[in-house]
Amino acid sequence: MPSVKQVQVTFDCAEPERVARFWCEVLGYVAPPPPTGFATWDDFNRSLPPEERGSWALAQDPTGVGPRLYFQRVPEGKVAKNRVHLDVRAGTGLVGEERLATLEAECARLVALGAVRERLLLADEDNESCIVMQDIEGNEFCLD
């Protein structure tokens, strides 16, 4: 039986390039090289029919460990809570006040990039603290 070797996470959005740049900054990801035969992504986009230009963008982990992110333009806006979301793991292994301080510092950095802070979920018997946030187009994610 074959097994899956990679996972790609796809975002529906209005402005793929803008959202891709945001997530590159959040995660330290980069845009992949342009397709063969093109010096830049702008050159590639100019080769497409006008209605397809800027219709998608990519972001990838420069180490090759994390999943590739794909951003595709869709005509409709976001209308409901995400059924799947990313957890940005800034506080892994930290607990208590040290974890909260780390999450708050990262939250401030992400807000400066255009993210929106929704709420702080404090630790309980089962879970450590996390901050629920939204990206620049309203997609929820957790700063964990």
Side-chain angles (χ1 to χ4, degrees):
M1 177 185 283
S3 64
V4 174
K5 302 295 183 208
Q6 294 182 341
V7 172
Q8 172 175 282
V9 179
T10 300
F11 289 72
D12 289 350
C13 53
E15 297 180 63
E17 291 177 39
R18 179 174 173 250
V19 180
R21 283 192 307 273
F22 170 83
W23 282 104
C24 282
E25 288 292 325
V26 170
L27 301 173
Y29 273 34
V30 297
T36 302
F38 296 94
T40 67
W41 279 103
D42 286 338
D43 291 343
F44 172 76
N45 267 317
R46 282 191 291 274
S47 75
L48 298 173
E51 67 276 4
E52 292 180 29
R53 292 179 186 155
S55 65
W56 57 272
L58 297 168
Q60 65 186 29
D61 181 349
T63 69
V65 174
R68 183 171 84 164
L69 305 180
Y70 181 82
F71 304 88
Q72 62 186 3
R73 185 172 54 217
V74 296
E76 68 278 356
K78 183 176 174 304
V79 295
K81 182 182 182 301
N82 297 9
R83 295 286 308 259
V84 174
H85 67 268
L86 298 183
D87 286 345
V88 177
R89 309 292 315 275
T92 303
L94 302 177
V95 296
E97 292 303 317
E98 183 181 17
R99 180 182 180 86
L100 284 173
T102 298
L103 294 179
E104 291 295 349
E106 183 63 5
C107 179
R109 183 181 81 86
L110 300 182
V111 167
L113 294 174
V116 174
R117 178 190 178 121
E118 282 190 12
R119 65 189 175 282
L120 170 66
L121 300 175
L122 291 172
D124 58 25
E125 308 80 45
D126 299 319
N127 300 295
E128 284 296 333
S129 297
C130 71
I131 300 173
V132 179
M133 302 189 74
Q134 293 180 8
D135 75 8
I136 57 175
E137 283 202 7
N139 297 301
E140 295 92 4
F141 67 95
C142 289
L143 185 54
D144 169 347

